[in-house]
Each structure stands twice: as C-alpha cells, then as structure tokens.
Amino acid sequence: MTSEERAKITDLKKCNFNEMAEYFKAQSEARKAMTKEDKLKIKAENERLLQEYGFCIMDNHKERIANFRIEPPGLFRGRGDHPKMGMLKRRIRPEDIIINCSKDSKHPKPPPGTKWKEVRHDNKVTWLVSWTENIQGSIKYIMLNPSSRIKGEKDWQKYETARNLKKCVERLRHQYREDWKSKEMKIRQRAVALYFIDKLALRAGNEKEEGESADTVGCCSLRVEHINLHAEKDGQEFVVEFDFLGKDSIRYYNKVPVEKRVFKNLQLFMENKQPEDDLFDRLNTSILNKHLQELMDGLTAKVFRTYNASITLQQQLKELTNPDENLPAKILSYNRANRAVAILCNHQRAAPKTFEKSMQNLQAKIDAKKDQLAEAKRDLKGAKADLKVRRDEKSKKALESKKKAVERVEEQLMKLEVQATDREENKQIALGTSKLNYLDPRISVAWCKKWGIPIEKIYNKTQREKFAWAIDMADEDFEF
DNA sequence: GTAGATACTTAGTACTGATAGT
DNA sequence: ACTATCAGTACTAAGTATCTAC
C-alpha cells in the first residue's frame, strides 16, 4: 500500500477481494480447460528451457543447475510471525546480477540494452550467479544440483566428519560432564548447552537481528521463558520442559529428565533473570564452535545432529528389521527407523488437508479386503469338503487354487494394514528432510543389500542421483 | 568480543504430473 | 476414458558457519 492507502485502509476484513479471487479462479479454469496439445506444447517448451539454461560445464563435466530460474517478484510471506510479511519482493534485473564463471568461458549475455552488475572469475566458490534480495538484504545464489560432483563430495565429507565424531564422542561426553562442575560460569553454560545439542539434537542457535525475521531460537539462543524446571514430574526426577519456536517457527515441545547436575546448573543460570533474558548469557555459537574445533578437527555444533541422526538410523534398523518378515514389513521397519530420526530432529509437517478422508478411504479398503478374505476362506472350506466326497484330481486342483487365493488375499490385506499403520504414524512427521540431509546414505544402501531390498523402494530417481556416490561405494557390511 | 558480509546447508509447503482405481 | 489420489518436484525461506575489520 502507498502511505495514503495505508491511512485509508485500516481493516482488511472490510476490503473486497472478489476481483482477485475471480481472476485466480479464471486462471485455474483456463488451465483445466487446456487441450492435450496445449499441455504438450508447454511441456516441450519447459524441456527446451531446461536444456538451454539448466546446465553448465564445471571442470569439463556437464552438470545440472539446481535453481536456474530467477525468483519472480511477489509479496513476501515468510514463515511464522514474520515482521516483513507482505513486503514487495522486487523484480530482479540484469543490473542486479553477478555472473561467476571461468575467464575463458562463454557465459550468457544480458538481454539487449542491459548489463550485468559484474562478471567475475572466482574459483574458490561454487556459485554461478548471485544477487542481493531486497527484503532482508541477503545474497541469493544459483548453484549446482545435488547430483553434481561438487555437492556430492561435500555431502560425503559431511558424513565422514560425523563418523569421526563417532570415534571420539565418548571422550567429549566425559569432558562436558566434567565441565558441569567448572568454576567458570562460561564453561558450565557451554557444557550444558552441548549436552542439549548432543542429547536432543538441537540446532546451534545463532543470534538473529531483532525485527528482521520471526522470533525463533536454537540452543545457544534459548531464553529463560523457553524452559520450565520440574524437580519432579510424572514420577520422574529433574525434568526440563522445553517449549520454543525453532527454525521455520516449528514448535519444539519436549519434557526431558536430565541429570541432577544439569538441573542444578539450569537453576543457577536462571537466577535473577527475567523471562526474556538469555538462558546461556555467557555463550554463543561462535564460542561453542571454537571450543568444538579444539576437540576435534572439523567439529561444529551441527555435526552432532548429523551424527545422532545417522547413528539412530543404524541402531534402529538393527533393532527393528526382522529377517523372517516379507518385503512390505521390512520397508515398514525402515520407515519406522527413519521416523525415529525425524522425531529426534523435530521434523514436522502440517497434517495433510485430506488426511482424515484418505485414512477413511484406506480403512474402507481394508474392510472390503476382510470381507473378501472371509469369502475366500468359505470357498476354501467348500473345496475341502468337495475333495472329501469326490476324491478326484479335479477337486484336488480346485482346492490348491482356493488355498492360493486365500494366501493372496491375506497378503494383500496385510499390505493394506501395514500401509495404514505407516500413514497414521506419519501424520505430522516429515521423513524427507532427515532422509535427504541427515542420514548417511551408505547405511540405507548397506541395509538394502543385506536384506535384498531393491534400492528403488527406499530412494526415488532423484534421490538415487543425489546419493550415487553412496550407492557406488557401500557394500552390505558398511558400518557408520 | 562484535558486526557485517559471504557462502553454503537445511527446511516446509504448494503445485503438478503420473498412476491407480472406477 | 475419466477422475481421485499420491509421490515427486519446484520453490525459496531460514538456518549454520566462517571470515574480515575494527
């Protein structure tokens, strides 16, 4: 709104947005009414654009670019209670764009009559294009697809660092437990924060500029108001109750029994503080990471999340996989192991809008299948009786086929029931994020090889491309 | 220590095309 | 052939981490 409009318009509820609603309705009608040929034409044009702009050559290899389309202008939403919600996101012009390529390469020319902001040749960074966005003033980048060499190697490295942590994690745990007793407040805070990061897989929690984005926190930026201490709760001693908004304003709520020493320390940290004061007032991510760097090469706070996620998957797979079960049951076990990690990392999603309905549909299918099974069993009984009376080859064959039918229906029923369990347990849990970013893919590849599960059951095409390095590398006895 | 800039990973959601079911 | 549903993808915001200059 202009400032005059802003003075005039005080309540959006009194505005009439029908014209806009009509416009979008018409757009969607038009899309629905498209003929097959129209759709094909659009598809072909998209493919052409992908071929022309979607690839680059890096180190003599043709690589797919992740986000080659520039972000269009629009109204900024942001997530959670964002102070900049509704601001206009400007259109990006050639004059905003920095191109990064090798000196001898032929890079895209700006549209006629325009100029790039800059063309540079920096081979120390991986981005191809950057521009500064007008909402937060941050830099945006165009980079390569996860299937690219450069991203794959980085990913591999990430998991190798996490595996290094595995080798020394017990030493570190011993160390921070000692530090709970330190004379220095700063060291105690560091040790308690690290305990949370390790035990609960919390994010590091960088400071954020107030008023620039939604009020969210991670471990180091927790405030007094985000925890509640209970000397005794639900029959457990020394319980810490967490309630705060984390990344993307996703709520973290958890009640955790902790060691007495941690509990006492927390009481100490909270003494004489207001709810809005920092819990760890002598600590930030940079202090924490500096300390971690001294304990292990390449160690930072987020490595704990990667490590704990991957080790949990490996351990859960060992625990949940039953060698005697069939393929769908094994895959349910995999999903459950994956789900344990997603819960640890607090990866949530809004329950799908159609969840209840789709659950009902599935239940109806299960009921129908049960009826079908009852019928098949009746038929089987009949066939048995027939055989007793007739004792001929034909009835013997009929009995066999009825037996098979019952088995088939039983298997179908079981598959449906497994599906229902899986879906119900997944209602508000998002598995994708941990699968893509936290779980060493070699664990999954090894598991598939060990139990003869086709890798396609676990990873779709895109995921197989991203994890090509792991599929190549891991054999069935890979240990994280 | 702090602030700002930079580069990269991690995150949830809306949309869309493919596929299963009728 | 048509529709409902679901998996996969595109999108881009929101984190982490590091470096530099004071």
Side-chain angles (χ1 to χ4, degrees), chain A residues 43-295:
Chain A
K43 200 175 171 187
E45 175 61 7
N46 280 337
E47 180 60 25
R48 191 188 68 75
L49 288 175
L50 172 67
Q51 289 308 323
E52 183 170 357
Y53 299 108
F55 296 84
C56 76
I57 307 284
M58 189 178 282
D59 298 343
N60 297 316
H61 281 286
K62 188 175 175 185
E63 303 265 32
R64 179 91 186 262
I65 298 168
N67 54 328
F68 63 89
R69 274 176 247 262
I70 208 77
E71 295 176 16
L75 294 181
F76 178 83
R77 171 61 185 87
R79 301 205 250 266
D81 187 6
H82 199 116
K84 302 207 168 177
M85 170 171 70
M87 280 182 67
L88 181 64
K89 188 163 117 169
R90 250 189 44 235
R91 180 180 297 282
I92 307 304
R93 308 227 161 258
E95 290 73 17
D96 301 315
I97 293 290
I98 302 173
I99 302 275
N100 187 37
C101 61
S102 50
K103 277 199 183 106
D104 53 351
S105 71
K106 52 177 198 345
H107 58 269
K109 297 285 164 279
T114 65
K115 273 191 200 154
W116 299 132
K117 182 177 181 184
E118 186 190 336
V119 176
R120 68 170 77 155
H121 314 292
D122 182 353
N123 65 359
K124 296 285 173 281
V125 297
T126 72
W127 54 268
L128 313 172
V129 172
S130 75
W131 71 94
T132 301
E133 152 270 351
N134 71 301
I135 305 284
Q136 334 248 6
S138 64
I139 308 170
K140 298 249 182 169
Y141 302 92
I142 291 182
M143 291 182 188
L144 294 191
N145 199 67
S147 62
S148 60
R149 197 214 82 226
I150 208 157
K151 294 286 183 190
E153 279 179 0
K154 210 57 192 306
D155 210 31
W156 174 24
Q157 202 179 82
K158 173 181 79 184
Y159 291 113
E160 287 306 298
T161 306
R163 291 175 84 200
N164 285 340
L165 173 57
K166 185 190 177 190
K167 289 182 210 149
C168 61
V169 72
E170 285 312 322
R171 187 189 94 219
L172 267 58
R173 283 173 179 159
H174 181 76
Q175 157 99 255
Y176 67 60
R177 298 167 64 90
E178 283 300 309
D179 288 345
W180 292 341
K181 298 181 262 180
S182 170
K183 303 191 288 295
E184 242 185 287
M185 188 56 83
K186 182 176 157 183
I187 292 179
R188 283 201 195 199
Q189 293 194 355
R190 195 182 67 194
V192 171
L194 188 51
Y195 169 73
F196 286 160
I197 286 171
D198 182 23
K199 186 183 171 76
L200 304 173
L202 299 189
R203 294 189 186 82
N206 284 319
E207 286 116 304
K208 311 170 55 175
E209 219 179 317
E210 212 174 324
E212 285 297 297
S213 58
D215 176 22
T216 63
V217 297
C219 186
C220 293
S221 51
L222 278 171
R223 298 191 297 261
V224 170
E225 61 194 321
H226 294 131
I227 65 168
N228 256 310
L229 301 182
H230 307 278
E232 203 252 298
K233 186 164 179 100
D234 309 327
Q236 287 175 311
E237 275 188 313
F238 309 122
V239 174
V240 184
E241 185 180 7
F242 292 85
D243 194 352
F244 62 88
L245 297 182
K247 180 174 178 180
D248 293 311
S249 292
I250 297 291
R251 185 178 180 207
Y252 183 92
Y253 182 79
N254 201 359
K255 277 179 282 191
V256 219
V258 300
E259 309 200 23
K260 185 172 176 182
R261 212 162 242 130
V262 171
F263 194 84
K264 294 285 168 198
N265 271 317
L266 288 170
Q267 284 178 326
L268 187 64
F269 303 159
M270 289 163 80
E271 248 171 42
N272 302 319
K273 278 191 196 167
Q274 298 299 310
E276 62 276 12
D277 291 341
D278 285 337
L279 176 65
F280 303 116
D281 52 304
R282 309 279 172 88
L283 185 69
N284 60 40
T285 52
S286 135
I287 295 171
L288 179 63
N289 280 336
K290 228 170 248 161
H291 172 66
L292 292 176
Q293 193 59 245
E294 283 164 13
L295 297 175

Side-chain angles (χ1 to χ4, degrees), chain A residues 17 48 69-70 102 194 213 218 313 354 363 395 401 462 465:
Chain A
F17 291 102
R48 191 188 68 75
R69 274 176 247 262
I70 208 77
S102 50
L194 188 51
S213 58
L313 178 76
T354 54
Q363 193 53 50
S395 355
S401 94
T462 314
E465 282 166 10

Side-chain angles (χ1 to χ4, degrees), chain A residues 386-401:
Chain A
D386 271 1
L387 181 62
K388 246 183 193 166
V389 180
R390 296 211 190 120
R391 300 179 171 280
D392 60 356
E393 263 318 293
K394 202 177 155 198
S395 355
K396 207 171 174 182
K397 262 195 188 149
L399 176 64
E400 277 312 307
S401 94

